[in-house]
Structures are given as structure tokens and as C-alpha cells.
Amino acid sequence: MKFSKEIQIALVAIASIVVLFFGLKFLKGMTVFSTDDNYYATFDDIMGLSASTPIYANGYRVGVVENIIFDYQGRKQIVAVLGLDKQMRLPKGSSAEISKDLMGNIQLDLVMGPNPADLMAPGDTLRGAEQQGLMGKASAMLPQVEKMLPKLDSILASVNALLADPALAHSLHNIDDITANLTSTTSQLHLLSVSLNKQLPGMMEKADGVLANTNTLTHNLSELDIAMTMAKVNNTLANVEQMTAKLNSNDGTLGLLMRDPQLYRNLNATMTHVDSLMIDLRQHPKRYVHFSVFGRKDK
């Protein structure tokens, strides 16, 4: 069977259109003969999300965005049609987050739900969200930074006032003097340590001599007859006790002298008479002593 040139041209054109269609889908990252399951995700702002945007789960590519449905009436959210691999299972509560890197490349990340046993069915709708990223976190911090600016300005003013204070320069000068003194003290301590290290052997020898003397003294003390010494002490104490008993009794001269009041009065009277006699002897010696060459003369 022979086709005319017109039919051949038509068949070539149709084949070219089919190859171009599937080639464009392939270049966009879509599966040529798609067997993916379709899910839907709703967004308030898709941030440039478009068809053929890759979809990742835990960093692994699991599909692409097949289509974006925009509500031109402005009554509903923007819907993205997600083509996911049939082996992909989404737990209920999963969400789709739009993320953008520093180069501006956009991708869609799936955040899995908490219960892997409770799964979503193809055709269900995921909650769409925007991943904050570094720039988003930085922008969220801007209000707090703005609140901190007056405090930072006050702190900087206080620091400038402190730096301009002449007392600070004086204190720094004093610190230099203190550092110099510490250096000198450290040098002196080093010299003292060196001197002590030199004298340490002699000191150790003297200490050894003192310890030897101490050992000798301890040895001598250990050789003393403590029992004999205590016996002598007890004997002495007994003699003292016996003498004290005799002194306290009426027997003996010392006992009578200590305990007889009449003897004390007699001795006292005798001493008084002796004293009177001595006084009279000193005043009238001739009454008691008389020398004469020619014999005694009666008065």
C-alpha cells in the first residue's frame, strides 16, 4: 500500500507533534506516560510555584507539580495538582511546604503526618504552607531588632562616655604600674625560690639532726624506770603526810607550838620581858656589869 505525499506529510507532522508534546513533558520533569497518583494542595500564595516544580519527601524526589489551578474570581485558594509516585503513602495530617533556596530555586517539600497507619487516599487535599527559611527567619527577627535599637544606642552612648572619661586612662596607667610591680615581685619570688632551693639541703640536714635528738630523748625517756620513780614520789608524799599529821597533833614541840595557845602567850610574854631587859640593859648597863680595879663598891 502506497501513501500519497500528502498523507505521508500529515503522518510526519502528527508524529512530530506527539514527540514534541512528550518531549516537553520530559524536559519539564514529568513522567511521559504518567501513572502517578494525584493529590491536591491549597495555598494563599504560591510564591512562583509552577508546573513541573519538583516535590521532595525527606530530601528524596517523589513527584512533580502537574498543574496550578488559579481562582480568577478570587473566592478560593490557589490549588496545586501534585503528581506523586504510586508507592508514596501520605499519612493524614501531612502538608506541603513551598521552600526557596538562596539561588531562588523553588521546590515543594512534603511534611509527613504523625500517624503512618492512617493514610490519605489519592485525590485528597493537603494543607499548603510556606517554609520560612533563612530570609523568613531574618525578617521575623526584624521587629525584635527594632525594639533593641534604642537600648543598643543607649549602651553605645554609655560606652562612649566611659571611654571619654579621664579616669579610665588613669586607671589603665595604674594597671601598667601594677603589672610592672607584679613583674618585679615575680622576679623577687623567683630569686627567693632559687635561694631556698640552695639552702634546702642544709635545712634538711639540721632537721635530720633535730629528729635524731628527738629520737634520743624519746629513747632515754623510754628507758626511765617509771615504776621506781613513782614509788619514790609516793614515799616522799607519805613522809610529808606523816610530818603534817605530827604537826597537827599535840605530840612534839612543833605540834605544841602550833596548837597550844597558852604556850604561844607564854613565849610572847617571855619575848616581851626579854625585849624590856635588852632595852634596860642598853640604857643602864652599869646595873648589870661593873668592873673595878680596887674591888667592888656597894651602892
Side-chain angles (χ1 to χ4, degrees):
M1 181 177 180
K2 187 176 181 181
F3 296 100
S4 63
K5 290 184 178 180
E6 290 81 2
I7 294 176
Q8 291 178 357
I9 292 172
L11 291 174
V12 171
I14 292 172
S16 300
I17 292 173
V18 172
V19 170
L20 178 63
F21 173 76
F22 288 109
L24 290 174
K25 291 190 68 175
F26 178 77
L27 292 175
K28 289 181 178 180
M30 300 180 181
T31 306
V32 177
F33 300 99
S34 177
T35 58
D36 295 342
D37 290 334
N38 288 333
Y39 294 85
Y40 300 91
T42 58
F43 299 92
D44 293 327
D45 185 355
I46 60 174
M47 298 176 58
L49 186 71
S50 61
S52 74
T53 298
I55 302 173
Y56 292 90
N58 297 328
Y60 182 77
R61 180 168 174 168
V62 294
V64 295
V65 177
E66 293 185 353
N67 193 15
I68 301 294
I69 302 173
F70 183 75
D71 182 15
Y72 287 95
Q73 301 297 326
R75 299 176 182 176
K76 296 181 181 179
Q77 294 177 317
I78 303 173
V79 179
V81 181
L82 312 181
L84 301 179
D85 192 290
K86 284 186 174 293
Q87 297 181 0
M88 186 67 192
R89 297 291 182 266
L90 295 178
K92 289 185 178 180
S94 299
S95 62
E97 294 184 352
I98 301 173
S99 63
K100 182 183 295 186
D101 58 18
L102 295 176
M103 301 299 295
N105 299 319
I106 297 177
Q107 68 182 38
L108 196 64
D109 294 327
L110 297 178
V111 180
M112 301 301 173
N115 188 5
D118 190 8
L119 300 177
M120 299 176 65
D124 288 347
T125 301
L126 286 74
R127 179 178 57 85
E130 176 187 350
Q131 195 176 65
Q132 198 165 10
L134 294 176
M135 298 302 295
K137 293 178 181 179
S139 62
M141 292 174 61
L142 286 178
Q144 298 179 0
V145 173
E146 290 178 355
K147 292 180 180 179
M148 292 174 60
L149 286 177
K151 297 181 179 179
L152 290 175
D153 184 64
S154 176
I155 292 172
L156 290 175
S158 300
V159 171
N160 290 330
L162 179 62
L163 293 175
D165 192 351
L168 180 61
H170 183 67
S171 298
L172 293 175
H173 180 70
N174 291 337
I175 290 175
D176 292 337
D177 293 340
I178 292 171
T179 303
N181 293 333
L182 287 175
T183 303
S184 177
T185 303
T186 304
S187 177
Q188 293 177 2
L189 287 175
H190 177 69
L191 294 176
L192 179 60
S193 177
V194 172
S195 177
L196 287 176
N197 289 332
K198 292 180 179 180
Q199 297 177 5
L200 186 60
M203 295 173 62
M204 292 300 295
E205 291 179 359
K206 294 181 180 179
D208 292 338
V210 172
L211 290 176
N213 295 332
T214 303
N215 292 332
T216 303
L217 178 61
T218 305
H219 179 69
N220 294 334
L221 289 175
S222 64
E223 290 182 350
L224 290 176
D225 192 349
I226 303 299
M228 183 180 292
T229 303
M230 293 303 299
K232 292 180 179 179
V233 171
N234 292 331
N235 190 18
T236 303
L237 291 176
N239 293 333
V240 172
E241 184 178 0
Q242 183 178 3
M243 184 178 67
T244 304
K246 290 181 178 180
L247 290 175
N248 291 330
S249 66
N250 293 328
D251 298 333
T253 304
L254 290 177
L256 291 174
L257 287 173
M258 294 178 65
R259 302 179 62 83
D260 190 356
Q262 184 63 36
L263 179 60
Y264 167 75
R265 286 192 288 270
N266 294 336
L267 287 174
N268 192 22
T270 302
M271 292 302 295
T272 302
H273 294 317
V274 170
D275 184 64
S276 300
L277 177 61
M278 294 302 295
I279 293 173
D280 187 66
L281 178 60
R282 188 170 53 253
Q283 293 177 354
H284 308 283
K286 293 181 178 181
R287 292 181 181 177
Y288 304 96
V289 180
H290 180 72
F291 295 94
S292 176
V293 180
F294 302 102
R296 183 181 178 194
K297 182 180 180 180
D298 294 332
K299 294 183 179 179

